[in-house]
Structures are given as structure tokens and as C-alpha cells.
Amino acid sequence: MPLSRRQFVALSAPAMMTFGASTPRFLAQAAEQAKQNRRENILVVIQMSGGNDGLNTVVPYENDEYRKARPTLAVSKNDILKINDQLGFHPAASGLNDLLQQNRLGIVQGIGYPNPNQSHFESMDVWHTCLRKSENRPDGWLGRAIDEMQVTQKRDVPALHLGNRKQPFALTSRTHRVPSVKSLKQFRLELQQRESLSDIRSNVSFSRPQSSSLLNFVQTSTDTAIDVSQKLQAVTSKYKTDVTYPETSLGNQLKTVAQLIDADFSTRIFYVEVEGFDTHSQQAAAHTALLRQVGGALSAFLTDLDEHDHGDRVLTLCFSEFGRRVTENASKGTDHGTAAPLFLAGNKVNAGLIGKHPDLDNLENGNLRHHTDFRQVYAGILEQWLNTSPKEILHGNYKPVDVVKS
Amino acid sequence: MIDPAWAWSPYEPGQNSWTRRQAAHLFRRAGFAASSEELDKAITQKPSELVSSLVNNRPETDEYQQEVSDLARSVLATADVKKLPAWWTYRFLTTNDPLREKTTLFWHGHFATSGDKVTDAKLMFQQNEMLREHALGDFGAMVHEISHDPAMLIYLDSATNRKAHPNENFAREVMELFCLGEGQYTENDIRELSRCFTGWEIRNGKFRFNRYQHDSGEKSIMGKKGKYGGEEGVKIVLDQKSAPYFIIGKLVRYFVADEPTPSNALLKPLADQFVDGNYQIGPIISKILSSNLFYSEHSVGHKVRSPIEFAVGFLRALNGSTNLNELTNGMSELGQIPFFPPNVKGWDGGRTWINSSTLLARANLIRNLLDRKETRFNQGSLGDFMDHLGAKSPAEIVESWEELYLAVDLPQEVKNQIANKVESGKGNREQKLRDALHLFCTLPEFQLS
């Protein structure tokens, strides 16, 4: 979708301001804005790509149907980290279990959507846009949330994606370019001393009245990239933490998020991804490693946030595009399924089990039936945490799940 | 609405209206950018002749093929799958059969398989050679080959498949990603097709049919019933009406424009030809590259350069050479490493290539290459090479870069700015030229093809 001239000017306004202005003035502005943002709530999204086996994450360990369906993959009762007399965590999810014990984890069960699609890509797009393929999908749910938040208060970087791969559709906004940052160290423009950044900036942002929508997109993205890289270099150099994060990709990403939150950057939404949940074969070892990675990184992240006094204002959502088939396949793995639990973490979350475990005696084509739409969770987050109105963002009315402690 | 009859009719430029800029467009899409000599030669031919020679000739000499196969052998001797990308990059940089490599890369993204999971360099290489052989040939044959391909079956967790509880992964991707596209089948079709593939196994790096594990019962796939095996199952999928549209749609997006998504009405003439021609790929690509649509405003400048097009094209257009490992490692920060697609869907391309990290990485890769002494142009300095091209004044130098590199014209003021850097930047002449070229490569126009 081409930007209108007004939208384009709005996009490049922060850029124009920095260009030509002296650095101290810009820093003073950023610091001023930061003070105002100091106590705003922040949402961190962890996308577990590939389809997490919810049934082996939150396990109905007393259920006979579960054991019958999972002859090699069922978690032994002795190893279960018990949540109650029916349900317990996979032993590798001890990080999640610790958070639950500290009342900092909400487990929202039985999440899905009607007519579930079992393609990774289509199902992910449904989660990202809240719409089906047959509908027009120009933007994502977080992109729409950003657009709405920017109306009330302009922020330089309302949302940020960690990583350098394809940006999640959820973050696509009609008017804002969300930066992707793989690592703070690499997120800078390397120049020779002979060169000047302002030459590059002025040629990039030079007005091109005849430009196509694609050229316009590249132009505004380049402008954002240079602008944000300068700002990040300026504000993130002083961070220290005593928390040891696991040496995993997710651990490193969440550490960067903690650093950016502490830098008092105005960002309200962070998005990170962890891959590998598509366990069609030899699932046991892979799933164990993944649950350990998620639990370990998340638990370190929350500790770190607390140590820097941000624990009360950060909520983390962990989701996957679908769960997995109840019955395991002959490759000691599981095929694509439907309903699964998602996780909410943070000091303020409505901790404990939310909603009941899906019924193993009432399957649909071998898959669990969902009882809560994922958009009800989004509605809760938008309304109770980000203080936005969910209806437009979600393209409909969804009864919010209570995500925040009452 | 684009008229399909007009779109796919051969482009016939009037006298003197077949230009170097247009030939450069063809080479950017059919390959990885043309050098100035290649453009000189191209405009002496008609566009249709040029395309026909790109599609039908196999100009790589025996010596060249021997050289790349020796290189491959030395890579495979290390058994390190991470060394394969540099090998393919070398081919991208040096082949004189660029359309074959470009199309092989298309199929690699289509039948995406990653060395990250497969880890066996030899199996990855075998698959690559198979895709290259069939790249412009018979699509049906390629699908049958890929469904027996050890690297593919390992990648899709289908190295064992027993009749009791068949693994659905491979059957799903045959329908969703290889032949039909999402939404053109039911979950039940997937389950039935997966029964056809039971007994298919990979043992010691080779395909094997284990008849004891094959479910020989009746299956019902897309309205057909029978005791189908895997090959018959694939055939049924290939015969679906949506198959040619799915494949042709992807080819059009790859060669013509990232957006908008072409309508079925626009694709119909090509889809019909594809079916009538028994799924021969070469004639379709030939038609696409010599069409009115291809040379029209709907196509020129309507693609984002992929990282490989960006990095390889940067060098090929100026007869450049550099440190191959630096180049290949740099491409990873840009978001594309051959042999390592991000997932089973391959690279999405288009706007998804562009984000703040990859844009900074693009600028930084060019800076890094330009700072290296090994980066040479026609075996010498950039200054000598621009002299050799006859581009003397700063303005002529910028014009020459624009002609070789850009699909979209630069604003005159921006050109003046860059010419100004050539003229009065800092450092010696070579440094000024290289800094100006770096500035040129950071422009939004440079990211488009």
C-alpha cells in the first residue's frame, strides 16, 4: 500500500530532525521522551515457530488416553513437575515451572481458532493478522496496535524485532517501519573516516516524487535503519547485568531486549523468535532442548528485569502457530495439530492455569478442540496491558481473557 | 487490468529502441547483472534471439565444468556442508550460463532443503546437481526426483515412513509447497497421500522402498480412489488444475515482479502452455523473458534485489572479483545463504528481504568489499576500469553506474551529489571513486531490480 504524502512526511520526520541538528540536542530530546515513557507497559512476544507440542509441555499425566496415544513419547509420571493432581510440566520446562511457583506465569489452555489451518505458514499468518487468507491482509495485529498508539503519542521506535530474518507479519504497519535488529554490535553503518553519514542520509531521504510504492518502501526503511542505528548506539553502551543468561539464541535475544528496555528507549513492543518446534521425527530429544531453552531464557530475563526495576512493567507472551497431533507417528514424532496452551509471564500476570485442559476424549480428526480463541488473549493484552481498544485491532469483538492480576 | 494476450506477446522493439538499459534489465533478471561488454553484444541481437540463446544454449566449456567439479570435489572432501555456499557463489560469479544458475536457485528455494538439518554435504550437493540438470527441463520429472531425493526426505523427517502411523510431513509439503499451494487440498488428502509414501526410506544415503512397511490398501486422494503407491500419488497431485497456476505464478513473481500477485486470468495463457507442453519449464521462461510484460513498467524496477543478486550483481556488472569467503559470509547477514534456506518454504523474497538489519548489512558488505585490496575490477583498480569503459568525467562515471546497476532512474540532484564525491571527496582518486560507489550502493534505487 503506497503511503500518502502526509504519512511519508510523518515517517521521516524524526529522521529530518536528527539530520542537521547537533547530537546533544537530539539526545536531550530522547532523554526527555524517555522520562515520560519510564513507566509505560511493555509487551514482549516470543514466537515458538514450528508448532509446539502443547500436550507434552503441559501434560495430563494421569490420563490413560494420553499414554495410549503416546507409546514412546509420553512423559513418565515420575518425571512430571506437578501443577496439580492432573496436570504437570514436562521435566525440561523447569524454568517455566519455577516462574509458575513464583506466581509469574499464566498458562492459558485450549487456545486455537475455528476451522484450524494446519499449514505452518497459513496458520502463522492467521495468528499474525487475525484474518483468513481469503480476506485482505495488509497489516498485522501489532502493526495495527502501533498505528493506534502512535496517534496518542509519537515514539521514535514503537516496536522492535530482534533478528535479521524476514520480519513477522504481525509487526507490519501501514505507516511505520519496524526495525529489525540482529545484534546491537552489528547494528551500525560502517563508514570510512573520509565518508560522512549526512551525505548518505541526505541522498537516501531526498524526495522522489515519482517513486513507486516499492521504492518508497525501501526508501523509508533505509531512512529508519540509519536513524535507529544511530540512536541505539548512543543509548545502549552503559548496560550491566549480574544475571547469567543461557548461551542460547533465545537467551541472547532476550538479553538484548532487557538491555533495550533499560536504555529507556520508547519501544513498547519487542518481538523475538525461537525455531525448531516442528518435531515430526525423533521428537523427545529436540523438544526437551527447546523447552529447556525457552524456560531458561525466560526465567533469566524476568530476573534481569527485576534487578533493573522493570519487572512490573513487562509482560511476555509465548505462542506457537498450532499444537501437535494427539497420536504420535511412526517416526517417534508428532504431526501438525490444533489447540495448545500459550504462556504469559511477568510480575503482574494472572498466574496459574487459565481455562481447562482440552478434552482427550472428544477429538476432531485426531486433534484437540480449542475452547478459547487466541484473539481473546490478544484482546486481554491490548485492553488490560497496552491500554488500547481491541475491537478495531482484532477486526471484531472478542471477550478478553484476564491476563493481568486483578 | 493487464490484457493477458498483450502481456505474453513477444516484445518487438522498434528500430534503435532496444537499449543497453533494457538488455541490462534482462540480464539482471535472467542472471546476476551484465558487464558493459555483455551489453555491447546484447544490443546487436534481437531480444527474442538473446533469450532463446540464454534458455537453450549450454555455453559452459568443458574446462569450466571440470574446474567447478574439481572445486566441488575438494569441498566435499572436507565433508563440511558450510563450505558449499562459497562453491555455489563462485559459480554465480563466474558462469557464462547465468539463467541456468538463476533458475536452479529458484528451484532450490522452491524445493527448499537446508544443510543445517541435512548436514551431509554430499547429499546436499547431489540434490543441487539434480536441480541444475532439470532446472529448465521437465517439472514433473523434477518432482519425481525430489520425492526420492535423500537430502529432501531427511530434511522433511521422512527418512523412515511406516504404515502403522505414517508421517504426514512430506505429503503435506508435496501439496502445499511443491505443487498446489495452500488451500487447494484437504487435510484428508494429506493423510491419504501420506499413506502412499509409507515404506519409503533413506538407508545409508540412498532411497529404498521397503514393501513390508508400505500400506497397500486403497487410498482416496482428490476424488480418485486406488491402491496407489508414492509415484502414483505424486502424479495425481501434479494432474490437478491448480498445479500449473501455482508453479507459473511463482515463476512470474521470480522473473517479472514481486507485486502485485498475478491474477489467474493473467497466468492462464502460460498455464495452458505449461500443461500442453507436458510441464516443460524452458519454453515458459523463454516466453516470460521475451514478453511485452517483462519489458514494461509493470516489471522494470518492480523487484527487490535478493542478497545473492545484490552481492553477485555488484561484482559482475563491473567485472569485479574479491575474497570469496568474505563475500559469502557477508551474504548471510543480508539474509540469504545458498544451501541454507530459512525453512521449508524457502525465501519469501520481495519486501521481506528488506529490514533495518539487512539494509545496514548491505551497505556494510559493500564497504567491506571496497576496503579490500583483493577487490579488483577487471583485475585492476576501479579508476583504471572506469577509464577503460570510457567514463571520464564524474558525471559520465555516475551515468555508467546507473546504466549497469539501476532499473530505476536516479533523481538528477542525487546524481550530482555522487558526481561531486567522485570529483572532490577525500583521499586519492581510487578512494574517492570507491567511496562514491559505496554511497551509490546505499541508495534505495540500488536495492531494486
Side-chain angles (χ1 to χ4, degrees):
Chain A
M1 157 160 310
L3 295 178
S4 72
R5 188 165 168 73
R6 187 180 57 79
Q7 286 167 328
F8 175 71
V9 170
L11 255 185
S12 44
M16 308 276 185
M17 225 160 58
T18 2
F19 168 51
S22 64
T23 312
R25 183 170 148 244
F26 136 65
L27 277 179
Q29 283 170 344
E32 190 50 43
Q33 194 185 13
K35 252 183 233 157
Q36 291 168 12
N37 298 330
R38 176 76 187 155
R39 300 321 303 177
E40 279 194 315
N41 285 341
I42 289 171
L43 171 69
V44 177
V45 178
I46 300 177
Q47 172 178 308
M48 305 189 289
S49 306
N52 178 39
D53 186 9
L55 196 56
N56 259 18
T57 308
V58 178
V59 182
Y61 63 90
E62 291 288 6
N63 190 303
D64 292 339
E65 292 304 316
Y66 167 70
R67 296 205 178 272
K68 262 189 250 164
R70 299 284 177 97
T72 75
L73 291 177
V75 181
S76 151
K77 213 161 145 178
N78 297 330
D79 295 335
I80 288 285
L81 308 171
K82 288 184 185 166
I83 299 171
N84 61 25
D85 59 2
Q86 295 296 319
L87 297 172
F89 271 119
H90 186 290
S94 58
L96 295 179
N97 192 47
D98 292 347
L99 292 174
L100 182 71
Q101 302 303 320
Q102 300 155 11
N103 281 325
R104 298 203 287 176
L105 188 82
I107 305 165
V108 196
Q109 305 200 84
I111 299 294
Y113 56 92
N115 302 317
N117 191 296
Q118 288 171 57
S119 151
H120 293 291
F121 309 101
E122 177 53 21
S123 191
M124 200 57 102
D125 284 352
V126 171
W127 278 79
H128 282 202
T129 61
C130 303
L131 294 169
R132 303 303 293 229
K133 196 182 186 178
S134 54
E135 296 164 296
N136 181 30
R137 301 194 287 205
D139 50 18
W141 76 285
L142 293 170
R144 294 191 290 271
I146 295 164
D147 288 350
E148 189 180 311
M149 291 191 293
Q150 289 296 91
V151 173
T152 45
Q153 191 194 339
K154 278 252 168 288
R155 295 167 185 83
D156 279 351
V157 187
L160 210 136
H161 165 230
L162 275 284
N164 70 341
R165 283 193 180 169
K166 178 190 157 192
Q167 209 167 68
F169 200 170
L171 292 171
T172 303
S173 140
R174 297 197 207 193
T175 51
H176 299 92
R177 302 280 169 259
V178 173
S180 287
V181 179
K182 186 187 175 198
S183 78
L184 293 175
K185 216 171 113 206
Q186 284 161 321
F187 197 70
R188 56 180 298 165
L189 199 59
E190 307 287 348
L191 298 179
Q192 278 287 351
Q193 283 196 336
R194 302 183 301 269
E195 294 181 286
S196 103
L197 187 66
S198 63
D199 281 339
I200 293 181
R201 296 256 357 224
S202 66
N203 284 310
V204 164
S205 56
F206 185 85
S207 161
R208 287 143 165 99
Q210 299 298 316
S211 76
S212 68
S213 130
L214 199 58
L215 182 60
N216 196 321
F217 167 78
V218 175
Q219 185 184 16
T220 51
S221 300
T222 311
D223 205 49
T224 302
I226 300 174
D227 184 46
V228 175
S229 68
Q230 276 181 287
K231 290 176 180 165
L232 287 190
Q233 294 302 321
V235 294
T236 53
S237 47
K238 295 182 305 246
Y239 187 74
K240 282 202 181 65
T241 178
D242 298 330
V243 176
T244 312
Y245 281 83
E247 279 296 322
T248 57
S249 134
L250 185 64
N252 289 327
Q253 291 187 80
L254 288 180
K255 189 176 179 182
T256 306
V257 173
Q259 186 173 356
L260 289 166
I261 289 173
D262 193 59
D264 269 343
F265 222 51
S266 59
T267 306
R268 293 197 69 194
I269 296 167
F270 292 90
Y271 204 106
V272 305
E273 290 162 84
V274 49
E275 298 182 333
F277 288 86
D278 194 22
T279 48
H280 285 278
S281 129
Q282 308 298 329
Q283 170 174 306
H287 197 229
T288 295
L290 286 163
L291 292 176
R292 195 166 285 146
Q293 181 175 184
V294 171
L298 193 57
S299 143
F301 179 57
L302 264 66
T303 308
D304 195 7
L305 290 174
D306 264 355
E307 289 196 356
H308 290 84
D309 194 25
H310 302 296
D312 287 355
R313 64 178 189 123
V314 179
L315 182 141
T316 303
L317 160 73
C318 307
F319 82 97
S320 196
E321 70 269 36
F322 41 60
R324 306 196 75 82
R325 192 72 45 79
V326 173
T327 304
E328 68 180 61
N329 66 27
S331 321
K332 295 181 182 165
T334 50
D335 291 321
H336 301 180
T338 50
L342 62 70
F343 303 97
L344 298 163
N347 295 353
K348 298 281 185 185
V349 299
N350 180 12
L353 291 164
I354 304 169
K356 62 179 178 26
H357 194 278
D359 191 352
L360 277 134
D361 297 318
N362 179 19
L363 304 180
E364 185 175 28
N365 297 321
N367 286 318
L368 298 168
R369 288 175 196 269
H370 82 282
H371 53 68
T372 303
D373 195 292
F374 69 94
R375 284 159 288 205
Q376 295 178 250
V377 180
Y378 289 180
I381 292 170
L382 290 166
E383 197 169 86
Q384 299 152 29
W385 193 250
L386 295 175
N387 302 317
T388 52
S389 59
K391 193 180 162 192
E392 283 74 31
I393 294 171
L394 302 180
H395 293 304
N397 274 317
Y398 294 91
K399 185 173 179 281
V401 167
D402 290 332
V403 300
V404 177
K405 255 184 207 126
S406 48
Chain B
M1 268 300 280
I2 300 169
D3 173 16
W6 167 84
W8 305 117
S9 296
Y11 173 66
E12 281 165 1
Q15 242 180 357
N16 301 325
S17 61
W18 169 236
T19 63
R20 285 166 62 90
R21 283 298 280 279
Q22 286 177 318
H25 166 65
L26 171 64
F27 277 90
R28 269 193 294 277
R29 299 295 181 79
F32 305 91
S35 65
S36 188
E37 303 105 279
E38 283 171 309
L39 295 183
D40 288 337
K41 201 170 149 231
I43 54 163
T44 66
Q45 289 172 278
K46 281 190 187 157
S48 56
E49 292 166 3
L50 193 55
V51 168
S52 163
S53 66
L54 280 168
V55 172
N56 299 315
N57 295 358
R58 301 207 57 171
E60 286 180 350
T61 61
D62 292 346
E63 289 79 7
Y64 179 77
Q65 296 212 338
Q66 190 59 49
E67 184 197 346
V68 288
S69 113
D70 288 348
L71 274 175
R73 202 167 310 131
S74 65
V75 166
L76 296 180
T78 69
D80 182 357
V81 72
K82 295 208 166 64
K83 294 209 164 81
L84 280 173
W87 172 81
W88 202 359
T89 304
Y90 179 77
R91 237 176 176 304
F92 293 143
L93 284 167
T94 56
T95 182
N96 61 354
D97 193 359
L99 179 64
R100 181 164 296 271
E101 291 311 308
K102 190 74 176 274
T103 312
T104 306
L105 181 61
F106 170 81
W107 294 118
H108 173 47
H110 183 79
F111 297 113
T113 307
S114 172
D116 242 352
K117 180 155 173 182
V118 177
T119 68
D120 185 327
K122 195 165 152 234
L123 298 183
M124 290 299 294
F125 178 73
Q126 280 172 4
Q127 185 194 71
N128 188 255
E129 290 284 87
M130 184 278 283
L131 295 176
R132 181 169 294 101
E133 199 44 48
H134 288 283
L136 296 154
D138 180 336
F139 176 70
M142 188 157 42
V143 176
H144 282 288
E145 291 262 9
I146 205 79
S147 55
H148 295 90
D149 181 70
M152 173 59 80
L153 293 180
I154 291 169
Y155 183 58
L156 289 182
D157 289 320
S158 303
T160 57
N161 206 0
R162 308 212 169 98
K163 67 178 163 194
H165 291 286
N167 178 329
E168 290 172 12
N169 206 25
F170 182 65
R172 178 181 302 280
E173 304 317 4
V174 166
M175 293 202 191
E176 178 181 342
L177 299 175
F178 301 164
C179 298
L180 305 179
E182 197 280 319
Q184 301 295 331
Y185 50 84
T186 66
E187 285 297 318
N188 198 51
D189 290 327
I190 289 174
R191 292 182 190 202
E192 292 288 290
L193 184 62
S194 73
R195 292 174 58 211
C196 302
F197 293 127
T198 48
W200 287 30
E201 296 178 352
I202 301 300
R203 286 283 176 276
N204 303 319
K206 290 205 167 64
F207 178 84
R208 191 180 80 154
F209 178 65
N210 177 352
R211 66 191 164 93
Y212 301 106
Q213 283 300 336
H214 182 65
D215 174 349
S216 54
E218 187 178 81
K219 292 104 185 169
S220 164
I221 308 168
M222 324 215 62
K224 291 198 156 193
K225 278 192 179 148
K227 296 182 175 176
Y228 303 126
E231 286 85 358
E232 293 158 304
V234 169
K235 178 89 176 52
I236 292 171
V237 175
L238 276 172
D239 285 343
Q240 297 301 307
K241 280 211 177 74
S242 55
Y245 285 90
F246 178 65
I247 300 302
I248 299 293
K250 276 190 83 170
L251 283 168
V252 167
R253 187 163 178 263
Y254 190 71
F255 286 108
V256 179
D258 288 335
E259 47 193 59
T261 307
S263 67
N264 274 358
L266 181 61
L267 297 177
K268 187 170 188 303
L270 294 185
D272 289 348
Q273 183 188 335
F274 196 41
V275 173
D276 294 345
N278 294 318
Y279 285 8
Q280 288 296 314
I281 301 152
I284 296 292
I285 292 181
S286 187
K287 191 153 195 165
I288 290 173
L289 295 177
S290 41
S291 68
N292 280 327
L293 186 67
F294 181 75
Y295 289 99
S296 76
E297 56 172 8
H298 301 287
S299 172
V300 179
H302 282 263
K303 280 190 68 70
V304 175
R305 277 197 161 105
S306 69
I308 290 174
E309 290 172 318
F310 175 89
V312 173
F314 168 71
L315 290 166
R316 283 195 73 135
L318 289 179
N319 298 28
S321 54
T322 191
N323 180 311
L324 195 58
N325 284 326
E326 282 296 320
L327 183 70
T328 314
N329 293 340
M331 275 171 1
S332 129
E333 297 299 318
L334 272 61
Q336 187 180 32
I337 321 170
F339 291 103
F340 292 84
N343 56 48
V344 289
K345 201 176 168 204
W347 295 278
D348 283 349
R351 293 188 187 214
T352 69
W353 290 127
I354 297 295
N355 63 53
S356 49
S357 259
T358 58
L359 283 166
L360 295 174
R362 283 178 181 225
N364 293 344
L365 173 64
I366 299 296
R367 185 68 263 173
N368 179 9
L369 294 180
L370 287 169
D371 285 347
R372 298 185 155 265
K373 286 215 177 67
E374 312 107 287
T375 304
R376 286 148 59 96
F377 300 90
N378 215 20
Q379 308 297 323
S381 71
L382 182 57
D384 287 349
F385 185 57
M386 295 318 295
D387 288 344
H388 168 79
L389 291 182
K392 295 202 178 60
S393 71
E396 285 168 349
I397 288 171
V398 177
E399 297 279 346
S400 160
W401 292 344
E402 187 183 36
E403 179 185 76
L404 290 167
Y405 281 126
L406 300 188
V408 181
D409 291 343
L410 285 180
Q412 189 58 47
E413 287 88 335
V414 172
K415 283 202 266 193
N416 295 346
Q417 286 276 326
I418 295 167
N420 185 38
K421 289 289 151 196
V422 174
E423 177 92 51
S424 50
K426 293 180 186 153
N428 60 36
R429 178 166 188 252
E430 185 67 12
Q431 286 170 331
K432 284 182 203 169
L433 274 169
R434 290 188 178 219
D435 291 351
L437 184 56
H438 178 232
L439 181 58
F440 188 87
C441 295
T442 63
L443 295 171
E445 286 83 356
F446 195 89
Q447 318 311 324
L448 299 185
S449 158

